[in-house]
């Protein structure tokens, strides 16, 4: 007799759920790393002096950049997808494992940004 558990016919037996919280300093570092590797030119070169998170119709971040020799701050807006990419890049650089197939969501908690991760490992098959 063979007992097989199919991932399509039954709910996942194991669900991993984690929460990673980023303070303002970590968020600025993540955005700087993203700006350094991005080929899209999302951010001007310079020192990131602040980040304003907004969660209106989807999360976005206004990034304030002080360019060398400039008296005015420049602003750039990053979408939720780009913020997530920046955070995942920081996690990778800090060797914090984040499964690729996991469901990921971002929320704002006070002045911190929270990355929630839910991962359902593939269901195993048992033979008897």
């Amino acid at each position: 007799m063979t007992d097989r558990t199919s991932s399509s016919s039954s709910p996942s037996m194991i669900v991993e759920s984690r929460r990673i919280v980023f303070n303002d300093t970590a968020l600025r570092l993540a955005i700087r790393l993203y700006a350094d590797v991005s080929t899209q030119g999302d951010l001007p070169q310079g020192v990131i002096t602040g980040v304003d998170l907004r969660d209106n119709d989807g999360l976005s971040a206004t990034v304030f950049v002080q360019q060398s020799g400039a008296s005015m701050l420049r602003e750039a807006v990053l979408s939720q997808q780009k913020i997530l990419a920046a955070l995942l890049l920081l996690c990778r650089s800090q060797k914090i494992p984040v499964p690729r197939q996991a469901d990921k969501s971002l929320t704002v908690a006070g002045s911190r940004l929270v990355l929630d991760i839910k991962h359902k490992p593939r269901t195993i098959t048992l033979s008897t």
Side-chain angles (χ1 to χ4, degrees):
M1 179 174 156
T2 303
D3 179 21
R4 297 185 181 207
T5 305
S6 168
S7 61
S8 61
S9 64
S10 66
S12 182
M13 296 175 6
I14 300 170
V15 176
E16 175 187 6
S17 180
R18 289 193 296 141
R19 177 170 271 197
I20 304 172
V21 181
F22 299 86
N23 66 14
D24 183 63
T25 302
L27 178 57
R28 285 189 281 149
L29 177 59
I31 292 170
R32 176 48 50 209
L33 287 172
Y34 174 79
D36 289 345
V37 300
S38 176
T39 59
Q40 298 179 19
D42 295 319
L43 293 169
Q45 290 295 318
V47 177
I48 296 173
T49 60
V51 179
D52 183 24
L53 296 170
R54 300 193 188 233
D55 197 3
N56 296 338
D57 289 332
L59 186 68
S60 67
T62 302
V63 182
F64 301 95
V65 179
Q66 178 69 52
Q67 291 184 295
S68 179
S71 59
M72 301 273 303
L73 291 177
R74 300 245 347 243
E75 295 180 15
V77 177
L78 296 180
S79 67
Q80 181 168 332
Q81 291 80 13
K82 291 179 181 179
I83 297 167
L84 179 59
L87 296 177
L88 293 175
L89 184 61
L90 179 61
C91 286
R92 180 178 294 152
S93 76
Q94 298 296 311
K95 299 188 182 347
I96 299 169
V98 177
R100 286 182 190 247
Q101 284 75 26
D103 293 328
K104 301 164 194 82
S105 63
L106 295 174
T107 54
V108 178
S111 63
R112 297 172 187 257
L113 189 57
V114 178
L115 170 59
D116 286 307
I117 303 165
K118 286 193 179 178
H119 183 242
K120 297 175 186 173
R122 66 181 181 88
T123 304
I124 59 172
T125 303
L126 300 175
S127 297
T128 55

